[in-house]
Amino acid sequence: GDVGIATAPDANAAFANIARTPFATSKAGIAINYTPWLRDLSVNDVFLASLAGYYQIDDQQALSLGLRYFKLGSIQFTDALGNDLQQYNPREFAVDLGYSRKLSSKFGLGIAIRYINSNLATGSFGGQNYKAGSSVAGDLHLYHHGAKENGQGLNWGLTLSNLGSKISYSSDATQKDYIPANIGLGLAYTKVFDEANKITFALDINKLLVPTPPVLTGANPSQDSADLVEYRDRSVASSWVKSFGDGGGASQEIQEINLSVGVEYWYNNQFGFRAGYFYENPNKGNRKYFTVGAGIKYNIAGLNFSYVFPTGSGTSRIPLSNTYRFGLVFDLMGGK
């Protein structure tokens, strides 16, 4: 279900909440993930890959590093009439560097800085010069470790992510857009039945800190243009605040909240089984999908697998259907 803000800490915390890493039971960890993307659309050259790791300097603080790479495959560019122009291979990547420390035996705080590079097109197309877009962003993460020594208890986390500069794909200063700043709240409760059996229930609530874009009707092009200029002229900091009150009322703001729920069962800390659900309002993207997954641990290594169930039909079928995800996690340098 894409939960991760308050789940048990491991190397993948670099992508969800690095404030968890000082509470990890291993001094260091590495995670490698690979996702063949949009296979439901019969494309075979699009994928997501990531590499993450952390190292605990001591019992109170840790460093983390993350790398994400997105290859969008080969894209055929056309003009307004559909005539072929040229092919391009868009790609994007982001590099994160984070620091986290315990504020007490229960609370952790993490900060991260991120460099983003989005190379969707370069060169001249339709009389417009394009370049790779780049941005610098920061994260602020908070984590409360309420679990007991045996792992039972309630953990929660709060994250502010992608707080950074606008991104532009041309030399036109008026064509800068907001990156997906986000606020998230996560809860995870683990019930330990005995030494061999435990189950975790998790919930993440996320909302983009991006102002609602204007509705461009096309009936009045000059007004549409003015509305778009006004939208893009807002400062980044004011856009975060504006995102809470520009949706058209409380009901519209509630629609902008995404929900992720998940459950994970472990047997003997060696075999894990997972299920989850992700919900996004139909008026705000309409991503809805179920996930199932499994994991196996042996010594310091863990292998994880997940699958996104097909949802919808016809034009409502989401392109994320039939998505597979693979991951390796390594717990290094033993327990603390």
Side-chain angles (χ1 to χ4, degrees):
D2 287 333
V3 297
I5 295 177
T7 51
D10 63 10
N12 283 305
F15 301 128
N17 186 347
I18 63 170
R20 295 183 288 155
T21 52
F23 296 91
T25 55
S26 295
K27 189 174 181 63
I30 296 174
I32 304 168
N33 299 286
Y34 176 77
T35 304
W37 202 240
L38 300 180
R39 289 302 169 92
D40 203 51
L41 300 182
S42 299
V43 295
N44 57 15
D45 58 353
V46 180
F47 67 85
L48 289 163
S50 67
L51 173 67
Y54 74 89
Y55 174 75
Q56 294 175 343
I57 303 171
D58 52 36
D59 287 340
Q60 300 297 317
Q61 52 191 341
L63 297 175
S64 61
L65 178 68
L67 171 64
R68 282 169 276 200
Y69 180 77
F70 185 22
K71 183 179 182 296
L72 285 78
S74 179
I75 306 296
Q76 178 65 57
F77 282 61
T78 64
D79 60 20
L81 299 177
N83 299 312
D84 289 347
L85 295 175
Q86 68 182 69
Q87 288 190 332
Y88 196 72
N89 294 282
R91 55 197 177 277
E92 301 177 302
F93 71 88
V95 181
D96 306 1
L97 180 63
Y99 170 79
S100 53
R101 70 171 297 118
K102 292 181 181 178
L103 301 179
S104 68
S105 61
K106 296 293 184 181
F107 278 98
L109 180 69
I111 56 174
I113 188 170
R114 175 176 304 108
Y115 171 72
I116 302 165
N117 184 283
S118 178
N119 191 355
L120 300 182
T122 57
S124 180
F125 302 95
Q128 178 69 56
N129 292 321
Y130 292 94
K131 64 177 183 178
S134 62
S135 177
V136 176
D139 295 352
L140 179 63
H141 298 165
L142 181 68
Y143 174 67
H144 179 265
H145 188 74
K148 301 176 183 178
E149 188 172 340
N150 68 348
Q152 179 166 303
L154 177 68
N155 302 328
W156 61 266
L158 180 66
T159 62
L160 292 168
S161 305
N162 274 332
L163 305 179
S165 60
K166 297 179 185 179
I167 194 167
S168 176
Y169 296 93
S170 73
S171 56
D172 187 348
T174 66
Q175 300 296 313
K176 293 184 177 181
D177 290 297
Y178 307 101
I179 63 173
N182 185 85
I183 182 171
L185 172 66
L187 303 170
Y189 177 77
T190 299
K191 171 65 176 178
V192 178
F193 298 100
D194 50 44
E195 291 185 356
N197 299 276
K198 64 180 179 180
I199 190 168
T200 298
F201 300 93
L203 167 69
D204 281 5
I205 303 171
N206 285 282
K207 182 187 183 304
L208 287 176
L209 299 180
V210 178
T212 302
V215 178
L216 306 180
T217 64
N220 188 338
S222 61
Q223 185 61 52
D224 287 348
S225 179
D227 290 344
L228 192 57
V229 169
E230 180 185 3
Y231 171 77
R232 285 174 164 163
D233 273 349
R234 296 171 186 163
S235 69
V236 172
S238 66
S239 73
W240 303 333
V241 179
K242 191 74 173 178
S243 67
F244 286 99
D246 64 350
S251 62
Q252 292 293 321
E253 295 299 329
I254 292 175
Q255 289 183 13
E256 296 180 355
I257 295 175
N258 297 335
L259 297 176
S260 299
V261 294
V263 59
E264 177 184 66
Y265 166 77
W266 277 101
Y267 174 73
N268 207 31
N269 282 326
Q270 289 184 311
F271 304 99
F273 302 93
R274 308 178 183 95
Y277 179 68
F278 179 90
Y279 174 83
E280 183 178 62
N281 188 275
N283 297 324
K284 303 296 179 178
N286 200 28
R287 290 176 297 163
K288 302 174 186 177
Y289 51 84
F290 289 95
T291 66
V292 294
I296 184 171
K297 291 181 180 179
Y298 179 74
N299 201 352
I300 65 169
L303 172 66
N304 296 304
F305 165 82
S306 72
Y307 173 72
V308 177
F309 273 102
T311 58
S313 61
T315 57
S316 66
R317 183 180 175 92
I318 67 167
L320 298 181
S321 297
N322 294 316
T323 295
Y324 298 89
R325 295 170 177 167
F326 307 89
L328 288 171
V329 178
F330 299 92
D331 295 322
L332 307 177
M333 304 179 72
K336 294 186 294 184

